[in-house]
C-alpha cells in the first residue's frame, strides 16, 4: 500500500490484500481510484481551473475560516442555510428558474452529492445507468451503494442516440440515470431535447441526474438543464465549485432539484456533513463569484483555439463545451502520454482507446503543451491518421 491514499494508483501494491483482510468480496484486489498526482511543471490532467484566487479573495476566505475557528467547539448548521441561500442566488444567475433554498443541496464535492443520490435512490435490487464514454467515478458510487451499474453507449461523435437510450431505460428500468453535460471525458453537451426525452421516459420510475460540473464553460447557445427543472420534477442538476469556480480545494458540490429530492438526501447524509470551515469558506468564495468566474471566458477562448490547433495538425478532436479537450487517435496513446510527461506536461490517459484528454490551462501552459506534443508526434510514429510530417522512427 502507498502512504498517500490519493497518490499514484493502479500499481499492484496498491491493491487490497485478499488473504486475510475481511473486506467486502467486490472490493478484493481493487486499488483506490484517482488520477496520478505528480509534481510536474504543467498539470493539465484533472480539469482544474489554472487561475488561483486573487489575494483579496484568499484573504476573505481566510477571514471566514478564522471566524469559523472561533466557534469550532460547536457543531455547524446542519442545514447550511446561509450557504444554500447563496448557492440558490448564484444558480438564478446561470439558468435557474424559480429556485429556492429548498431546491438546493450541497456536500463535500459533487462526488459526495452523487453518492447521496445513489444512497437515497439506488441500492440493492436497483439499477443506475449511464452512457459510455462517461465519468469514471460513477461506477464506484454504484458499487459502494450496492446499486447495479449498467452502461449504454454513445454514438461515434459522442452524442446520445435517443432511441438507444430509451431502449436501455425500457430494458433495465433504472431508478437513476446519470449523464454528465458537458460530458467528461468528451466535452459533449446534451441538447435540451435529449434531457426532456429521458426525463419523460423516467417519469414515475426514475431520476435523471444531469451532472453539470462543467456547465459554466458551455458555448453560447448551449442551454443549462436548470432551465428544464420546472417541467420535470424527476430532473436533478448537479454543479460544483471545483471547476469554473476555481475552488477544487474547497470541496463543495451542490445540486438543484424538486424539494422532495433534497428531503430524501437529508435522510441519508451523515450528521453535520458540511463542516463549519467548509460552509464559511465556500460562502466567502461565493462572494467573489464574479471574479472567480472571470477567467471562464479566457479559458473558453483558449479551448476553442486548442481545438483548432489540434485539428490543424490532422488530429481528431471532439467538440468541447468544457474546459478540456479529447483528442486522438493514437495507436499507442500511452507512448504519447509518457512522451508529454517526459517533457513536463501531465495530461490524462482516459476515454475510448486511442484518445487522450488535456485540460485547458493558461496560455503559457498551452504553449508548453503544444510544443511538447509537436516534439512527441514528430519523433515517434504514434499518431494514426495524423499528419506528422517527417518521421524519425521510434526512439
Ligand atoms: C470534476 C467533476 C466533478 C466534480 O467533482 P467534485 O467532487 O465536485 O470536485 C463532477 N462530475 C464530473 C463529471 C467531473 O468531471
Amino acid at each position: 500500500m502507498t502512504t498517500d491514499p490519493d497518490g499514484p494508483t493502479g500499481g499492484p501494491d496498491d491493491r487490497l490484500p485478499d488473504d486475510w483482510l475481511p473486506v467486502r468480496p467486490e472490493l478484493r484486489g481493487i486499488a483506490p481510484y484517482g488520477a496520478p498526482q505528480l509534481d510536474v511543471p504543467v498539470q493539465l490532467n484533472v480539469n482544474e481551473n489554472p487561475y488561483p484566487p486573487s489575494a483579496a479573495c484568499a484573504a476573505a476566505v481566510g477571514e471566514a475560516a478564522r471566524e469559523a475557528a472561533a466557534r469550532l467547539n460547536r457543531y455547524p448548521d446542519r442545514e447550511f442555510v446561509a450557504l444554500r441561500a447563496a448557492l440558490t442566488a448564484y444558480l438564478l444567475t446561470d439558468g435557474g428558474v424559480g429556485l429556492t433554498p429548498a431546491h438546493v443541496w450541497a456536500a463535500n464535492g459533487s462526488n459526495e452529492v452523487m453518492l447521496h443520490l445513489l444512497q437515497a435512490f439506488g441500492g440493492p435490487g436497483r439499477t443506475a445507468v449511464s452512457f459510455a464514454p462517461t465519468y469514471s467515478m460513477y461506477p464506484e458510487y454504484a458499487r459502494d451503494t450496492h446499486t447495479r451499474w449498467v452502461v449504454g453507449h454513445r454514438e461515434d461523435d459522442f452524442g446520445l442516440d435517443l432511441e438507444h437510450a430509451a431502449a436501455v431505460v425500457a430494458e433495465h428500468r433504472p431508478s437513476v440515470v446519470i449523464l454528465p453535460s458537458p460530458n467528461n471525458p468528451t466535452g459533449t453537451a446534451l441538447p435540451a431535447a435529449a434531457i426532456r426525452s429521458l426525463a419523460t421516459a423516467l417519469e414515475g420510475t426514475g431520476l435523471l441526474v444531469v451532472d453539470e460540473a462543467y456547465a459554466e464553460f458551455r458555448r453560447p447557445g448551449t442551454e443549462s438543464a436548470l432551465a428544464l427543472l420546472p417541467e420535470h420534477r424527476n430532473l436533478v442538476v448537479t454543479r460544483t465549485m471545483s471547476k469554473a469556480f476555481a475552488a477544487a480545494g474547497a470541496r463543495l458540490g451542490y445540486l438543484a432539484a424538486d424539494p422532495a429530492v433534497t428531503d430524501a438526501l437529508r435522510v441519508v447524509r451523515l450528521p453535520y456533513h458540511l463542516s463549519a470551515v467548509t460552509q464559511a469558506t465556500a460562502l466567502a468564495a461565493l462572494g467573489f463569484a464574479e471574479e472567480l468566474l472571470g477567467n471562464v471566458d479566457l479559458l473558453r477562448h483558449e479551448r476553442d483555439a486548442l481545438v483548432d490547433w489540434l485539428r490543424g495538425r490532422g488530429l481528431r478532436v471532439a467538440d468541447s463545451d468544457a474546459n478540456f479537450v479529447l483528442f486522438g487517435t493514437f495507436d499507442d496513446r500511452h507512448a504519447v502520454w509518457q512522451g508529454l510527461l517526459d517533457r513536463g506536461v501531465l495530461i490524462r490517459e482516459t476515454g475510448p482507446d486511442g484518445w487522450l484528454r488535456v485540460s485547458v490551462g493558461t496560455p503559457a501552459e498551452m504553449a508548453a503543451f503544444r510544443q511538447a506534443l509537436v516534439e512527441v508526434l514528430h519523433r515517434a510514429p504514434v499518431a494514426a491518421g495524423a499528419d506528422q510530417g517527417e518521421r524519425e522512427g521510434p526512439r
Side-chain angles (χ1 to χ4, degrees):
M1 306 277 281
T2 59
T3 45
D4 174 6
D6 292 315
T9 57
D13 41 11
D14 244 355
R15 292 168 200 281
L16 296 174
D18 50 16
D19 49 349
W20 67 271
L21 195 68
V23 67
R24 280 164 49 190
E26 63 272 36
L27 301 184
R28 277 186 201 140
I30 298 229
Y33 174 82
Q37 291 193 307
L38 306 177
D39 190 16
V40 298
V42 181
Q43 303 189 2
L44 303 172
N45 69 328
V46 286
N47 303 339
E48 291 154 332
N49 191 317
Y51 298 101
S54 67
C57 175
V61 169
E63 175 57 21
R66 197 194 58 77
E67 284 169 22
R71 291 188 306 275
L72 271 189
N73 56 311
R74 300 293 179 193
Y75 282 110
D77 174 9
R78 204 167 35 211
E79 299 294 339
F80 46 102
V81 171
L83 179 58
R84 263 168 140 166
L87 291 167
T88 307
Y90 167 67
L91 288 176
L92 288 169
T93 69
D94 193 39
V97 186
L99 297 174
T100 71
H103 295 87
V104 173
W105 181 251
N108 298 283
S110 50
N111 275 274
E112 190 181 61
V113 169
M114 216 65 80
L115 185 64
H116 285 168
L117 283 165
L118 285 186
Q119 283 176 323
F121 299 102
R126 293 185 154 212
T127 301
V129 160
S130 192
F131 295 87
T134 185
Y135 188 39
S136 40
M137 285 304 299
Y138 298 150
E140 309 223 346
Y141 320 141
R143 178 198 68 202
D144 294 345
T145 57
H146 307 270
T147 309
R148 197 168 139 253
W149 179 242
V150 170
V151 188
H153 61 79
R154 284 173 176 257
E155 298 194 87
D156 286 346
D157 67 354
F158 305 125
L160 198 62
D161 171 350
L162 292 187
E163 274 180 38
H164 166 66
V168 170
V169 166
E171 181 183 348
H172 295 283
R173 303 232 128 230
S175 55
V176 180
V177 172
I178 312 178
L179 277 165
S181 177
N183 185 35
N184 183 3
T186 66
T188 322
L190 282 176
I195 295 166
R196 282 203 181 90
S197 140
L198 267 169
T200 304
L202 290 161
E203 181 69 50
T205 57
L207 292 184
L208 174 61
V209 180
V210 180
D211 179 352
E212 290 198 342
Y214 301 98
E216 285 92 348
F217 296 106
R218 65 194 187 271
R219 290 173 294 180
T222 304
E223 206 181 355
S224 163
L226 287 173
L228 305 179
L229 282 172
E231 295 168 39
H232 298 282
R233 64 183 173 181
N234 62 334
L235 177 62
V236 177
V237 183
T238 65
R239 292 276 184 112
T240 181
M241 291 183 70
S242 296
K243 308 287 163 57
F245 257 107
R251 305 309 300 130
L252 203 285
Y254 55 106
L255 63 68
D258 189 279
V261 172
T262 58
D263 277 346
L265 303 179
R266 292 166 70 213
V267 175
V268 298
R269 59 111 176 86
L270 292 173
Y272 313 106
H273 69 291
L274 277 181
S275 85
V277 175
T278 299
Q279 293 186 39
T281 52
L283 191 57
L286 277 169
F288 286 78
E290 210 173 312
E291 174 198 308
L292 291 169
L293 294 166
N295 292 312
V296 163
D297 276 346
L298 228 101
L299 290 164
R300 290 155 90 201
H301 186 83
E302 199 66 46
R303 168 199 64 205
D304 294 341
L306 174 65
V307 169
D308 289 346
W309 183 84
L310 288 165
R311 283 186 180 147
R313 297 207 51 90
L315 292 163
R316 284 180 72 192
V317 185
D319 284 331
S320 176
D321 275 281
N323 65 335
F324 55 83
V325 170
L326 190 74
F327 67 102
T329 54
F330 306 105
D331 292 337
D332 183 355
R333 72 170 171 183
H334 182 74
V336 178
W337 179 85
Q338 186 65 54
L340 292 171
L341 185 58
D342 294 344
R343 289 163 179 79
V345 179
L346 177 62
I347 68 167
R348 193 74 180 270
E349 198 178 345
T350 187
D353 262 0
W355 294 80
L356 291 167
R357 193 193 73 193
V358 59
S359 311
V360 177
T362 62
E365 289 171 328
M366 296 329 285
F369 165 75
R370 287 192 300 266
Q371 190 189 333
L373 187 64
V374 167
E375 284 179 26
V376 170
L377 296 189
H378 187 65
R379 282 167 198 224
V382 283
D387 174 11
Q388 297 157 62
E390 260 186 357
R391 288 179 179 185
E392 294 174 354
R395 293 182 305 144

